[in-house]
Amino acid sequence: MNGGSVLQPGSLALSRKEEFKVFAESPRRSRPDLLTRKQLKSLATQARADYDRQRRQWHANIGPVKTPQLTELHEDLWDIVDSNEQDGDKAKGAVAVDAFPGLGKTTSVPPFARDFHQREIEESGAFTSQGHERIPVCRVGLTGNTGMKDLNRAMMEFFGHPGQTRGTTAQFGRRVLDCVSSCEVRLVVLDDLHFLKWGQKSGIEVSNHLKWIANEFPVTLLMVGVELAKKGLFGEGTNGRDTALAQTGRRTTRFGLRPFTIDTEAGRREWRQMLLALEQRVVLTDKHPACSRMSCRTTSSPAAPDTSAR
């Protein structure tokens, strides 16, 4: 709960429903005007400070760029989420975004969750038929010590449930189920799943708990992590421990994010278009005009902007 203060986009951690709602429903940032050197020098002291602050905030939040990789992932996620609208007596498939660090997993999933939130609110309204606040998405970040009770507590913290401090694991689970059902959650995002120690007791507990969520909750699980296959989530082991993990893996559709490559013409073209998109978004005085897609040769390099005016 925010204690009555107004949440600003720069202070969001997406660990509570109020924060995620601000993230999902706030207007997109507007790019500051591109001023000439003369216009920049003519600004009064306070106006120049405001303009510089706007540029800093814009550049710090310049992404994500809608790359082909991002588009492909979102199309796949929509296919899975939309196919999970079967009745509640059927277990729903889960999704895992599993890729190496630095490829944009954490960057690509929140925009999808935001778009899903907006679609659900537009189609069904801000409140359920029972008068509860509609919360289409629940996002939880995991740590290396997360067990079943910790996972349930983190989910209750997202909803601001008053019973998040005391209770048994089973009681926490029932409270979470009540929150999810009452608020008609349809997508649960579990970020940093690689922090779990899958080969130890806590990993088995959480794996079984994920199966319980898939069976009992009317939601799609969207799990995000690094090298989840190596950690055993998709393993097909023969002993009891590996079999428990494999059952979760068989219900999970795994997606990755392919890196940019420049060893083919198509790869060079994709990389160039991303650089051009970034160049067009950068707000710098006297920067070189970005080339258009049609007028630039794909084998040349984008002109670097003049960064002398800051």
Side-chain angles (χ1 to χ4, degrees):
M1 318 306 283
N2 60 24
S5 62
V6 178
L7 293 173
Q8 300 296 326
S11 63
L12 302 181
L14 305 186
S15 59
R16 293 177 175 83
K17 62 182 179 67
E18 294 89 355
E19 296 172 340
F20 190 88
K21 186 174 182 179
V22 171
F23 163 75
E25 299 181 0
S26 294
R28 303 294 177 88
R29 293 181 184 271
S30 299
R31 186 177 66 176
D33 294 332
L34 183 59
L35 303 182
T36 65
R37 188 177 294 273
K38 181 178 180 180
Q39 291 172 324
L40 195 64
K41 290 181 178 180
S42 67
L43 292 177
T45 302
Q46 185 58 50
R48 175 62 185 267
D50 292 341
Y51 180 71
D52 288 342
R53 175 179 51 79
Q54 293 172 14
R55 287 201 309 164
R56 289 195 305 270
Q57 293 178 346
W58 169 256
H59 289 147
N61 299 275
I62 203 169
V65 177
K66 197 170 184 180
T67 62
Q69 291 90 328
L70 181 71
T71 301
E72 292 167 5
L73 176 63
H74 283 191
E75 289 176 352
D76 290 333
L77 292 178
W78 280 117
D79 288 341
I80 297 296
V81 170
D82 289 343
S83 68
N84 274 345
E85 293 193 4
Q86 63 263 47
D87 295 336
D89 61 330
K90 300 179 179 64
K92 293 174 169 49
V95 184
V97 180
D98 182 15
F100 289 107
L103 295 182
K105 299 180 304 301
T106 302
T107 303
S108 59
V109 170
F112 173 79
R114 177 187 59 207
D115 293 344
F116 182 80
H117 171 99
Q118 293 176 350
R119 189 188 74 171
E120 292 296 298
I121 296 299
E122 290 173 359
E123 291 183 354
S124 304
F127 296 92
T128 69
S129 59
Q130 302 299 318
H132 300 292
E133 182 182 10
R134 187 183 306 281
I135 306 174
V137 179
C138 171
R139 181 212 169 265
V140 176
L142 304 185
T143 67
N145 296 317
T146 302
M148 285 196 302
K149 192 170 185 177
D150 299 313
L151 176 57
N152 288 337
R153 182 184 288 113
M155 294 181 72
M156 285 196 297
E157 183 179 357
F158 179 87
F159 293 104
H161 195 289
Q164 61 184 277
T165 57
R166 305 182 67 177
T168 65
T169 299
Q171 289 172 334
F172 280 9
R174 288 193 293 269
R175 292 168 191 166
V176 171
L177 179 57
D178 180 63
C179 289
V180 169
S181 301
S182 299
C183 299
E184 297 190 2
V185 177
R186 293 295 177 262
L187 179 66
V188 173
V189 179
L190 301 181
D191 204 356
D192 292 328
L193 202 66
H194 54 275
F195 286 150
L196 290 176
K197 299 177 181 178
W198 286 99
Q200 300 185 15
K201 182 180 178 182
S202 61
I204 304 299
E205 288 179 346
V206 174
S207 176
N208 290 330
H209 196 60
L210 296 181
K211 289 189 294 182
W212 177 70
I213 291 177
N215 289 332
E216 301 297 330
F217 289 34
V219 301
T220 298
L221 278 175
L222 174 50
M223 301 173 284
V224 184
V226 177
E227 295 185 330
L228 299 179
K230 288 186 178 180
K231 296 182 181 299
L233 179 61
F234 307 102
E236 294 289 342
T238 56
N239 58 53
R241 183 192 69 182
D242 293 338
T243 300
L245 295 176
Q247 289 177 348
T248 301
R250 284 193 292 269
R251 290 183 175 181
T252 304
T253 301
R254 177 188 175 193
F255 295 120
L257 281 171
R258 57 183 176 85
F260 283 100
T261 60
I262 57 173
D263 53 354
T264 65
E265 184 63 27
R268 287 194 294 271
R269 194 158 45 242
E270 288 180 353
W271 177 244
R272 177 177 176 77
Q273 293 306 319
M274 191 198 72
L275 294 180
L276 287 175
L278 289 174
E279 183 180 357
Q280 290 168 353
R281 297 186 186 191
V282 170
V283 181
L284 290 175
T285 299
D286 294 342
K287 76 171 184 177
H288 190 283
C291 300
S292 67
R293 292 186 179 183
M294 299 301 295
S295 62
C296 288
R297 298 178 60 186
T298 59
T299 55
S300 60
S301 299
D306 180 358
T307 59
S308 57
R310 296 188 179 278

